[in-house]
Amino acid sequence: MQNNKIELNDVLIFKKNHPCGGNSWKVLRVGVDFKLECLNCKRVIMLDRLEVYKRMKQRVPHEEN
């Protein structure tokens, strides 16, 4: 796991694109699993913590959004 601490309203850039073409996700809930919203199509998904860290390429803190 990376040392990036994911917080509420951070934007995560994933390695692979979502079927809609976007790869940016906003964090809606943090816990054992994460609730993420695609910034392109507004689809909401839930992924467990390990899967998020595996798929994540970059984290944009919510202060920079």
Side-chain angles (χ1 to χ4, degrees):
M1 288 174 52
Q2 300 176 2
N3 58 2
N4 293 343
K5 183 170 171 26
I6 298 174
E7 297 177 354
L8 200 62
N9 294 323
D10 284 353
V11 174
L12 306 179
I13 311 293
F14 280 1
K15 296 173 187 170
K16 287 183 153 183
N17 287 344
H18 187 242
C20 72
N23 68 346
S24 301
W25 297 83
K26 182 177 180 181
V27 178
L28 301 178
R29 193 185 106 188
V30 179
V32 174
D33 27 317
F34 290 96
K35 190 176 211 176
L36 306 171
E37 176 185 36
C38 178
L39 294 179
N40 195 30
C41 67
K42 305 300 183 200
R43 162 96 52 198
V44 176
I45 63 169
M46 293 193 66
L47 292 174
D48 62 73
R49 185 174 289 271
L50 288 176
E51 190 67 29
V52 169
Y53 279 107
K54 190 185 332 179
R55 293 184 185 192
M56 188 174 70
K57 179 168 67 172
Q58 180 183 359
R59 179 183 70 94
V60 181
H62 62 276
E63 295 88 25
E64 297 177 17
N65 295 339

